[in-house]
Amino acid sequence: MEIKREDLLNLYYYLKFTRRLEDRITSLYHQGKILGGVWTSNGMEAISVGYSYALEKNDIAAPYFRDIGVFLVRGITAKRIMAHYLGKKTGVSGGREGNVHMGDLNFGIFGFPSHLADNYPVGTGAALAFKIRGEKRVVAACTGDGGTSRGDFHEAMNFAAVRKLPIVFICNNNQYAYSTPVRFQMAIRNVAERALAYGMNSKTVDGNNVVEVYKTAREACEIARNGGGPTFIECKTMRMHGHSEHDSAKYVPKELLEEWKKKDPILTMEKYLLENSFAKKDELDGIDLRAKKEIEDAEKFAEESPYPDPGECFKGVYATPIEAT
Amino acid sequence: MEIKREDLLNLYYYLKFTRRLEDRITSLYHQGKILGGVWTSNGMEAISVGYSYALEKNDIAAPYFRDIGVFLVRGITAKRIMAHYLGKKTGVSGGREGNVHMGDLNFGIFGFPSHLADNYPVGTGAALAFKIRGEKRVVAACTGDGGTSRGDFHEAMNFAAVRKLPIVFICNNNQYAYSTPVRFQMAIRNVAERALAYGMNSKTVDGNNVVEVYKTAREACEIARNGGGPTFIECKTMRMHGHSEHDSAKYVPKELLEEWKKKDPILTMEKYLLENSFAKKDELDGIDLRAKKEIEDAEKFAEESPYPDPGECFKGVYATPIEAT
Amino acid sequence: MKEITYLEAIKEALDEEMTRDPSVFVLGEDVGAYGGAFRVTEGLYEKYGDWRILDTPLSESGFTGAAIGAALVGMRPVVEMQFADFISCAFDQLVNVAAKNHYRWGAPTPIVVRAPYGGNIHGGPYHSQNIEGFFFNVPGIKIVAPATAYDAKGLLKAAIRDNDPVIYCEHKYLYRRIKDTIPEEDYIVPIGKARIALEGSDVSVITYGAMVHTAIEAARSLKDNGISCEIVDLRTILPLDKKTIIDTVKKTNKVVILHEQTKTGGVGAEVSALISEYCFDYLDGPIIRVAAPDTPVPFSAQMEEVFIPQAKDVIAAVEKLMRY
Amino acid sequence: MKEITYLEAIKEALDEEMTRDPSVFVLGEDVGAYGGAFRVTEGLYEKYGDWRILDTPLSESGFTGAAIGAALVGMRPVVEMQFADFISCAFDQLVNVAAKNHYRWGAPTPIVVRAPYGGNIHGGPYHSQNIEGFFFNVPGIKIVAPATAYDAKGLLKAAIRDNDPVIYCEHKYLYRRIKDTIPEEDYIVPIGKARIALEGSDVSVITYGAMVHTAIEAARSLKDNGISCEIVDLRTILPLDKKTIIDTVKKTNKVVILHEQTKTGGVGAEVSALISEYCFDYLDGPIIRVAAPDTPVPFSAQMEEVFIPQAKDVIAAVEKLMRY
Ligand SMILES: Cc1ncc(C[n+]2csc(CCOP(=O)(O)OP(=O)(O)O)c2C)c(N)n1
Ligand SMILES: Cc1ncc(C[n+]2csc(CCOP(=O)(O)OP(=O)(O)O)c2C)c(N)n1
Ligand SMILES: [Mg+2]
Ligand SMILES: [Mg+2]
């Protein structure tokens, strides 16, 4: 598969954008401006950016909580995201939700329900709808290595395989579920082996290589789009921070982090672009600056935005409210 | 593995016992003496008989609803079972439950919760207890091909594999879940392939051959007992009646039934015993008569037994009731 | 006008809605060629095919989640639970995904979950449960429970057209036991509106589902003793029709709440609490609940009979209240 | 005697019970070396090892089912839900296996499920839920919800020693915010017994969990206006301590029920219904419920503040009742 230079630069942009946005969110959290908790995709940005970039506009993403890149790639502005994290009225959820718990049908993104793997069955449903209606659209649903131990993972994978649904299942295998290493979660080597139980094709890719993630997802999407059924893609990566900003992650061996630091997805991409002469350093710096600028604007916007009216609490439970009697 | 003649004759006895008991239950149901529904293991008796015969007295069975043979093999009398089906006070559940929904800790049998595959996690728990306490006991848990599509199947298999629990998972693959053939339930050839997702050893056996089921289960039990972890055993068979007595099963091709009729587990065992001179015809007839007699006595006992006191309805919700205030 | 059973009413609603709106489809175990465990979808497979009357693997959470996802992209799925009891396996998807989608991120989730529920059929603990209590404290869910064939059809149509997740409790005991004369033309029964099943003046019996018929039986017999019962059939359990409840209490000043669901934490508790809150000054006696005891549903006929509230229990409660 | 936090009280109960009884063990996500998301099990792994403080894969149904199976063969497992919200994934095992084992086939299921629940911590819809409503209509389950460090320890010990499945609702907001002086010696707080958190004569405020502290705050302020509140801390939610509820109503004749759980179908509905049934003649005014609105728990501080009942809401309800 050939990738256009423009796409490569876009991928680079979204990697940077995601990293910078989450770095900023982390700072704001430590400043006490973001309440609750903060979970980031630091060091794993290539997965959400890569798989969502593989989607067409009409496709659907059913992300999990390390997938903020999906929101950026699909066109949700940093302004709305930042305001969302700050619990502002102008945020993606208008203050009803926090952190990566957001979704927007206008951008083809399903909200992430905290319960891990829940979005796998939900994703299959959209794929089923496309199949029923004969639409050439696909779904990409994502969860972590931890989420693959849940029943909903199993039920969704099996259903998609039986009905050959147009869906690509992504797994972010960052080697830990919170403090629990993969070897205490499953007795297999690669999460991809899970797919054998369903007769589903699977791939294991370098989750820190955005080009590889993108290409593999893109190919799987095309197979799905053309009636070839689902694929499971395991993206190997490493969680470089704690599980959340609360967590110092002492349980992760330092050497592991050292090793993976060298494989940072942004460094990897930079190197790839420079060495293959897709771009010069100053062009990349320009891209970075663009991301930086957007985030500064976003922060300003978010800070200046009003908090939601407390009365909003009572609204929106039903799409069709029953007239009060 | 060598099997003693005595064991072979016992296996034959339990096959006959199970068949006759369920045949009688079916008649009583059609006579209106058994309320609700009746589901049998007709044509599949070798599975429950074979795997439960592989257990030691102190082991635990966590059966599913085609496993009435487990109750007989483990020593629950036909009297108590028959009374249970008739909703009598003297039945296994004292009238609180019906059909194969029964259990008895004194005989190491967990009650079957109707929700298929629920007994897989429950089974792992007993195995975990044995492991924690360092007891050399094992668990055999069973479900149908249909049940393997449920999340609880996945979560239990995975947990057992990770913790190398002393459990043997049995699957009765009778090619249908109610009206749904296996090919609409999973996109794999053998249910045993499910085990690949967990790094668990698996076997596919002829579920109509009680000796094969017994041997395979026995070996798996010994592996489990000695710290070798779980095994998944797929027993291929065919449901020879409708899903329940309500169901005429028109959706099953006649040829399939014809084909499997020839493989009837009792015929198979009879042939094996006679051809290998383990027994003569009249000895087998004697065994059959013994089963027949027990069931006649059981029926008499059950018919004559009183119905439960209606007030029993209110008792037994809690093991430690809160003093009424 | 034609006479059809409660079960036929459900099937007709499905059939007509599927014809009217191509986004409606049915999924669940054995709903396809087999026509469902209770034969509710019988004949629909032949008419709408494999993808609109869709057999699923045995996986309630998976197919309920799939229904949610399909709904999010414009479909109107109707999920069949083979028995309502198995809805426990789909609890998480319903409570944490379907119920919260709209509040959390503005996405309507127009799914209907058909739940064949209730006892009196010798089903025992796992084939007789009333499951409305599982969802009764969950904002974002709607629950309906028709008592008549007319309402069974009209409420299912309303549920399918509604933009929220609706749990449709269809009482198995009523499937083939009751009939109604139904209009030929399209109609719905609006969600959120109770109905007066019987007008009366001395005491209100507030109930729903199969118990409406038990209430009517009791009312007939009470009438012979000169006691006039007003029977309120809630029809929608969540959200409750407060106005109809308040109006009947203001009229009769005496209330018996009747349900097959176990007593503690049942719908009756909420109805009682609403009345205490809004009609305190109109009450001429305690609010009595007649409900199943706090036990699983026992199998044996003898025990199940004391489990399921009977007309005589309603009569006793009403008489006690009349003496008050 | 020593002063410890609510969280420490939970940990001490676990530690002491594990020492006392080798059949007690803990399982759940990240409970092992990490010590649990809230650090409740911190230090226990070092003391009891990998098989008694047992990390599980991410699989609530699987490990809750495993706890049930272990209990059936003589263990006393304590399951930790990382957040109570995730108990929805284990709903089926709890409701259909654990709750019914004893009734169906006489097998006790002594498991405790620790459910870190409740809001006021900016957790949003998925990390703030009150989950008692999921199980409140399920016979066979017991539910406790301590409001103090003293009760947190005593109720957890009682729950571990109890032979039935107990859902132990530990309020996250209280973990490090409240302390109690606790006896050195072993004690339990019996399941099924409420306590009078504050004696009073004008009005009863019946509540539990974190709201007990809200009630106390309100009572203090009401006292300045000459209104004397009696506060009942239910402690056990299922089954309810009817006697204490009835006694307080007979004493004060006025009732406010307060909970953080959403209103419709909440524990308050049942408490209200019990009062209407048993104390009708003692009531001098309507039974008022102060509860969270029927919505998911919103994230933003502004919205969450109107979601969580506040002392001022209790004061307003009491004052309204006093004017009655
Ligand atoms: C069903 C469920 N149980 C527990 C949690 C709490 N929890 C949040 S993240 C997490 C670990 C997730 O691990 P993994 O799936 O590998 O994702 P990662 O955080 O590593 O990206 C846990 C246990 C949850 N969100 N959902
Ligand atoms: C969770 C759950 N969903 C639905 C049912 C209803 N049901 C009872 S048996 C059955 C089919 C079971 O198929 P399988 O597991 O293959 O067992 P078999 O009947 O073929 O022995 C179904 C759907 C159930 N018992 N449990
Ligand atoms: Mg992970
Ligand atoms: Mg089968």
Side-chain angles (χ1 to χ4, degrees):
Chain A
M1 205 184 94
E2 276 296 303
I3 314 185
K4 281 192 285 204
R5 177 174 175 274
E6 189 197 327
D7 290 325
L8 291 171
L9 295 185
N10 279 341
L11 287 169
Y12 179 73
Y13 168 66
Y14 286 119
L15 286 179
K16 275 285 188 181
F17 200 1
T18 304
R19 171 77 52 92
R20 281 198 173 277
L21 178 61
E22 290 193 321
D23 281 353
R24 198 59 209 145
I25 284 169
T26 303
S27 300
L28 291 171
Y29 170 76
H30 288 298
Q31 292 168 27
K33 289 188 178 158
I34 291 175
L35 302 176
V38 159
W39 297 257
T40 73
S41 64
N42 189 284
M44 306 168 276
E45 297 89 345
I47 300 170
S48 59
V49 167
Y51 89 73
S52 58
Y53 200 76
L55 296 173
E56 298 290 327
K57 193 165 184 315
N58 266 326
D59 294 340
I60 290 283
Y64 95 125
F65 73 112
R66 306 237 185 249
D67 283 353
I68 200 169
V70 169
F71 294 80
L72 296 175
V73 168
R74 306 224 91 202
I76 298 201
T77 61
K79 284 184 178 156
R80 287 181 71 210
I81 295 176
M82 199 59 109
H84 168 88
Y85 272 79
L86 291 174
K88 296 297 180 83
K89 187 176 174 165
T90 52
V92 182
S93 71
R96 289 210 180 80
E97 262 288 16
N99 56 67
V100 198
H101 296 107
M102 50 186 177
D104 191 333
L105 279 181
N106 295 320
F107 292 81
I109 307 176
F110 284 177
F112 165 63
S114 205
H115 296 60
L116 284 163
D118 276 16
N119 253 351
Y120 261 46
V122 177
T124 63
L128 175 63
F130 299 155
K131 186 131 181 173
I132 292 175
R133 296 195 300 235
E135 294 169 0
K136 285 213 152 194
R137 295 163 69 184
V138 306
V139 178
C142 186
T143 198
D145 47 284
T148 71
S149 297
R150 271 210 60 230
D152 273 24
F153 167 87
H154 178 70
E155 299 193 3
M157 292 281 286
N158 190 51
F159 184 54
V162 168
R163 288 284 177 171
K164 281 199 160 216
L165 299 180
I167 182 164
V168 178
F169 294 108
I170 310 288
C171 175
N172 171 326
N173 177 2
N174 59 12
Q175 309 184 50
Y176 284 85
Y178 209 145
S179 74
T180 311
V182 168
R183 70 176 181 286
F184 291 150
Q185 299 178 49
M186 59 193 89
I188 48 178
R189 280 242 168 153
N190 296 304
V191 183
E193 290 166 53
R194 296 269 204 230
L196 295 170
Y198 315 103
M200 193 188 297
N201 286 325
S202 72
K203 288 262 163 64
T204 297
V205 303
D206 175 358
N208 282 19
N209 184 327
V210 73
V211 176
E212 194 177 331
V213 174
Y214 164 69
K215 272 190 181 171
T216 313
R218 181 91 198 167
E219 279 158 14
C221 284
E222 288 325 300
I223 291 169
R225 208 181 296 284
N226 294 305
T231 305
F232 180 75
I233 302 174
E234 173 192 8
C235 306
K236 287 212 198 268
T237 182
M238 178 66 207
R239 205 189 65 208
M240 300 302 292
H241 280 196
H243 168 67
S244 69
E245 285 307 310
H246 302 280
D247 169 26
S248 58
K250 286 193 212 120
Y251 49 83
V252 179
K254 279 223 183 74
E255 312 74 61
L256 198 59
L257 291 173
E258 291 304 325
E259 179 196 330
W260 281 84
K261 202 167 179 184
K262 292 179 214 138
K263 304 191 212 167
D264 181 88
I266 297 185
L267 290 183
T268 306
M269 185 62 173
E270 243 163 37
K271 213 168 146 217
Y272 174 80
L273 292 174
L274 295 174
E275 284 180 2
N276 292 282
S277 309
F278 287 115
K280 296 236 174 65
K281 187 74 175 70
D282 57 350
E283 196 173 0
L284 297 186
D285 289 347
I287 289 172
D288 186 24
L289 208 66
R290 186 149 61 91
K292 187 160 174 270
K293 182 74 181 45
E294 276 206 57
I295 286 154
E296 281 163 9
D297 291 351
E299 186 177 332
K300 190 156 178 292
F301 170 83
E303 294 264 19
E304 288 169 0
S305 287
Y307 284 106
D309 183 277
E312 281 296 307
C313 170
F314 308 108
K315 296 182 195 153
V317 173
Y318 291 122
T320 312
I322 306 290
E323 299 148 52
T325 54
Chain B
M1 202 181 96
E2 276 297 304
I3 313 186
K4 282 191 285 208
R5 178 174 174 275
E6 187 196 328
D7 289 325
L8 290 172
L9 295 185
N10 279 341
L11 286 169
Y12 179 74
Y13 167 67
Y14 286 118
L15 286 179
K16 275 284 188 184
F17 200 2
T18 305
R19 171 78 53 92
R20 282 200 173 276
L21 178 61
E22 289 192 321
D23 281 354
R24 198 60 209 141
I25 284 168
T26 303
S27 300
L28 292 170
Y29 171 75
H30 288 298
Q31 291 168 28
K33 288 187 180 160
I34 291 175
L35 303 177
V38 160
W39 297 257
T40 73
S41 64
N42 189 284
M44 306 169 276
E45 297 90 345
I47 300 170
S48 60
V49 168
Y51 88 74
S52 58
Y53 199 76
L55 295 175
E56 298 290 328
K57 196 167 180 310
N58 266 326
D59 294 339
I60 290 283
Y64 95 125
F65 73 113
R66 307 240 183 246
D67 282 353
I68 200 169
V70 169
F71 294 81
L72 295 175
V73 169
R74 305 223 92 202
I76 299 202
T77 62
K79 283 183 179 156
R80 288 181 69 211
I81 294 175
M82 199 60 109
H84 168 88
Y85 272 80
L86 291 174
K88 296 296 180 82
K89 186 176 172 163
T90 52
V92 183
S93 71
R96 289 213 180 78
E97 261 288 16
N99 55 68
V100 198
H101 295 108
M102 51 189 177
D104 192 333
L105 279 181
N106 294 321
F107 293 81
I109 308 177
F110 284 177
F112 165 62
S114 205
H115 297 59
L116 285 163
D118 275 16
N119 254 352
Y120 262 46
V122 177
T124 62
L128 176 63
F130 299 156
K131 185 129 184 174
I132 291 175
R133 297 194 300 234
E135 293 169 3
K136 283 212 154 196
R137 295 164 68 185
V138 307
V139 178
C142 186
T143 197
D145 46 283
T148 70
S149 298
R150 270 211 59 230
D152 273 25
F153 167 87
H154 178 70
E155 298 192 4
M157 292 281 286
N158 190 52
F159 184 53
V162 168
R163 288 284 176 171
K164 281 197 158 216
L165 300 180
I167 182 165
V168 178
F169 293 107
I170 311 288
C171 175
N172 171 324
N173 176 4
N174 59 11
Q175 309 185 50
Y176 284 85
Y178 209 149
S179 75
T180 311
V182 168
R183 70 177 181 285
F184 291 150
Q185 299 177 49
M186 57 194 90
I188 47 178
R189 281 235 165 160
N190 297 305
V191 183
E193 291 165 53
R194 295 269 203 231
L196 295 170
Y198 315 104
M200 193 188 295
N201 285 327
S202 72
K203 289 264 162 64
T204 298
V205 303
D206 176 358
N208 282 21
N209 184 326
V210 74
V211 177
E212 192 176 331
V213 173
Y214 164 70
K215 273 191 181 172
T216 312
R218 181 91 198 166
E219 279 159 12
C221 284
E222 288 325 299
I223 291 170
R225 207 181 297 285
N226 293 305
T231 305
F232 180 76
I233 303 175
E234 173 192 8
C235 306
K236 286 211 198 271
T237 183
M238 178 67 208
R239 204 188 67 209
M240 301 302 292
H241 281 196
H243 167 68
S244 71
E245 286 307 310
H246 302 280
D247 170 26
S248 59
K250 285 193 213 120
Y251 48 84
V252 178
K254 277 223 184 71
E255 312 74 60
L256 198 60
L257 291 172
E258 292 304 326
E259 178 195 330
W260 281 85
K261 205 168 177 180
K262 292 179 215 139
K263 305 191 211 166
D264 181 273
I266 296 185
L267 291 184
T268 305
M269 184 62 173
E270 242 162 40
K271 214 169 144 218
Y272 174 80
L273 292 174
L274 295 174
E275 284 181 1
N276 293 282
S277 308
F278 286 116
K280 296 239 175 63
K281 188 75 176 73
D282 56 352
E283 194 173 0
L284 297 185
D285 288 347
I287 289 172
D288 186 24
L289 209 67
R290 183 150 61 91
K292 188 158 173 271
K293 182 74 180 47
E294 275 207 56
I295 286 155
E296 281 163 10
D297 291 351
E299 186 175 334
K300 191 156 174 293
F301 169 83
E303 294 264 18
E304 288 168 0
S305 286
Y307 284 106
D309 183 277
E312 282 295 308
C313 168
F314 308 108
K315 296 183 195 154
V317 174
Y318 291 121
T320 312
I322 306 290
E323 300 148 50
T325 53
Chain C
M1 303 287 273
K2 57 185 172 181
E3 215 186 32
I4 58 173
T5 64
Y6 185 89
L7 186 145
E8 285 160 348
I10 297 169
K11 189 202 303 247
E12 276 200 5
L14 288 175
D15 192 1
E16 290 174 18
E17 291 303 296
M18 290 184 75
T19 296
R20 190 186 58 78
D21 180 353
S23 65
V24 179
F25 74 108
V26 174
L27 71 171
E29 291 149 6
D30 308 295
V31 295
Y34 188 65
F38 293 101
R39 303 315 175 94
V40 173
T41 56
E42 203 164 35
L44 299 183
Y45 178 82
E46 290 70 20
K47 197 159 164 189
Y48 300 102
D50 192 26
W51 289 92
R52 287 187 68 199
I53 301 286
L54 195 140
D55 275 339
T56 62
L58 208 162
S59 50
E60 282 76 6
S61 190
F63 62 71
T64 303
I68 294 168
L72 288 175
V73 296
M75 302 298 283
R76 294 190 171 270
V78 180
V79 173
E80 177 177 300
M81 292 289 152
Q82 198 156 83
F83 282 78
D85 308 69
F86 304 123
I87 205 169
S88 55
C89 301
F91 184 73
D92 172 55
Q93 284 283 348
L94 288 168
V95 160
N96 279 313
V97 187
K100 296 184 176 53
N101 275 339
H102 194 262
Y103 191 79
R104 293 178 55 239
W105 58 289
T109 307
I111 64 166
V112 177
V113 180
R114 288 183 36 235
Y117 81 117
N120 227 350
I121 56 151
H122 313 301
Y126 291 129
H127 294 77
S128 310
Q129 289 176 72
N130 278 48
I131 50 82
E132 54 274 34
F134 298 168
F135 302 98
F136 193 51
N137 187 234
V138 179
I141 296 275
K142 292 173 180 170
I143 309 176
V144 299
T148 64
Y150 180 91
D151 285 350
K153 183 165 177 182
L155 274 173
L156 183 49
K157 288 190 161 217
I160 290 171
R161 297 177 196 182
D162 196 275
N163 288 322
D164 292 303
V166 181
I167 297 176
Y168 177 89
C169 297
E170 47 189 73
H171 205 294
K172 301 189 296 283
Y173 181 79
L174 301 178
Y175 273 154
R176 294 179 166 85
R177 283 190 178 84
I178 60 167
K179 285 189 170 185
D180 260 337
T181 306
I182 303 260
E184 296 286 347
E185 57 280 5
D186 183 51
Y187 71 94
I188 67 149
V189 170
I191 295 180
K193 300 268 176 261
R195 92 188 153 101
I196 305 297
L198 186 73
E199 298 229 21
S201 52
D202 294 331
V203 56
S204 298
V205 179
I206 303 178
T207 187
Y208 61 92
M211 286 296 117
V212 170
H213 305 281
T214 306
I216 290 172
E217 191 190 330
R220 284 213 185 100
S221 148
L222 285 161
K223 204 178 165 195
D224 297 341
N225 296 336
I227 300 172
S228 160
C229 296
E230 173 142 307
I231 299 176
V232 175
D233 173 3
L234 291 170
R235 301 201 290 199
T236 294
I237 296 171
L238 192 69
L240 285 166
D241 178 354
K242 287 187 202 159
K243 185 171 184 310
T244 304
I245 294 170
I246 293 170
D247 287 350
T248 192
V249 177
K250 288 191 176 170
K251 180 177 172 191
T252 66
N253 314 116
K254 292 203 156 92
V255 191
V256 169
I257 303 166
L258 167 67
H259 55 65
E260 187 187 308
Q261 188 193 13
T262 56
K263 185 172 179 182
T264 298
V267 172
E270 180 63 30
V271 174
S272 173
L274 286 174
I275 294 170
S276 287
E277 229 160 332
Y278 294 108
C279 316
F280 180 72
D281 292 322
Y282 292 89
L283 280 176
D284 280 353
I287 303 166
I288 302 185
R289 286 180 290 167
V290 177
D294 290 331
T295 76
V297 188
F299 168 73
S300 91
Q302 293 70 28
M303 287 190 233
E304 193 178 12
E305 205 184 306
V306 302
F307 178 88
I308 305 265
Q310 307 288 337
K312 67 172 166 28
D313 305 317
V314 181
I315 293 168
V318 168
E319 284 174 345
K320 184 173 159 199
L321 207 47
M322 292 312 293
R323 283 194 303 272
Y324 200 84
Chain D
M1 305 286 274
K2 58 189 168 179
E3 213 187 34
I4 57 173
T5 63
Y6 186 89
L7 186 144
E8 285 160 349
I10 298 169
K11 187 200 305 242
E12 276 200 3
L14 287 175
D15 192 0
E16 290 174 18
E17 291 302 297
M18 289 185 74
T19 296
R20 189 187 58 78
D21 180 353
S23 66
V24 179
F25 74 106
V26 175
L27 71 171
E29 292 148 6
D30 309 294
V31 295
Y34 188 66
F38 293 101
R39 303 315 177 92
V40 173
T41 57
E42 202 164 33
L44 300 183
Y45 177 83
E46 290 69 23
K47 195 159 167 188
Y48 300 102
D50 193 25
W51 288 93
R52 287 186 71 200
I53 301 285
L54 195 140
D55 275 337
T56 61
L58 207 163
S59 50
E60 283 75 7
S61 191
F63 63 71
T64 303
I68 294 169
L72 288 174
V73 296
M75 303 297 283
R76 293 191 171 270
V78 179
V79 173
E80 176 176 302
M81 292 288 152
Q82 198 156 83
F83 282 78
D85 308 69
F86 304 124
I87 207 169
S88 55
C89 301
F91 184 74
D92 172 56
Q93 284 284 347
L94 289 168
V95 160
N96 279 312
V97 188
K100 296 184 175 54
N101 275 339
H102 195 261
Y103 190 80
R104 293 177 57 238
W105 59 289
T109 307
I111 64 166
V112 177
V113 181
R114 289 184 35 234
Y117 81 117
N120 228 350
I121 55 150
H122 313 302
Y126 291 129
H127 294 77
S128 311
Q129 288 176 74
N130 279 49
I131 51 81
E132 55 273 35
F134 297 169
F135 303 97
F136 193 52
N137 186 234
V138 179
I141 295 276
K142 292 174 179 169
I143 309 175
V144 300
T148 65
Y150 180 92
D151 285 350
K153 183 165 179 184
L155 275 173
L156 183 48
K157 288 192 159 214
I160 290 172
R161 297 177 197 182
D162 196 274
N163 287 323
D164 292 303
V166 181
I167 296 176
Y168 177 89
C169 297
E170 48 190 70
H171 204 295
K172 301 189 296 283
Y173 180 79
L174 301 179
Y175 272 154
R176 296 181 164 83
R177 283 192 179 82
I178 60 168
K179 286 189 169 184
D180 260 337
T181 307
I182 304 258
E184 295 287 346
E185 56 278 10
D186 183 50
Y187 71 94
I188 66 149
V189 170
I191 295 180
K193 300 272 177 257
R195 90 186 156 102
I196 304 297
L198 186 73
E199 297 229 23
S201 53
D202 294 329
V203 57
S204 299
V205 179
I206 303 177
T207 186
Y208 62 93
M211 286 295 117
V212 170
H213 305 281
T214 306
I216 290 172
E217 190 191 330
R220 285 216 183 99
S221 147
L222 285 160
K223 203 176 165 199
D224 297 340
N225 296 335
I227 302 171
S228 159
C229 296
E230 173 144 307
I231 299 176
V232 176
D233 173 3
L234 292 170
R235 300 201 291 199
T236 293
I237 296 172
L238 191 69
L240 284 167
D241 178 353
K242 285 188 201 156
K243 184 170 183 311
T244 304
I245 294 171
I246 292 170
D247 287 349
T248 192
V249 177
K250 288 190 176 168
K251 179 175 173 193
T252 66
N253 314 116
K254 294 206 156 90
V255 191
V256 170
I257 304 166
L258 167 67
H259 56 62
E260 187 187 310
Q261 190 194 12
T262 56
K263 185 173 179 183
T264 298
V267 172
E270 180 63 29
V271 174
S272 174
L274 287 174
I275 295 170
S276 288
E277 231 160 330
Y278 295 107
C279 315
F280 180 72
D281 292 323
Y282 292 89
L283 280 177
D284 280 351
I287 304 166
I288 302 185
R289 287 181 289 167
V290 177
D294 291 332
T295 75
V297 189
F299 168 73
S300 90
Q302 294 70 29
M303 287 190 233
E304 193 178 13
E305 204 184 306
V306 303
F307 178 87
I308 305 265
Q310 307 288 336
K312 68 174 164 32
D313 305 318
V314 181
I315 294 169
V318 168
E319 285 176 345
K320 184 174 158 195
L321 208 46
M322 292 311 293
R323 281 194 303 272
Y324 199 85

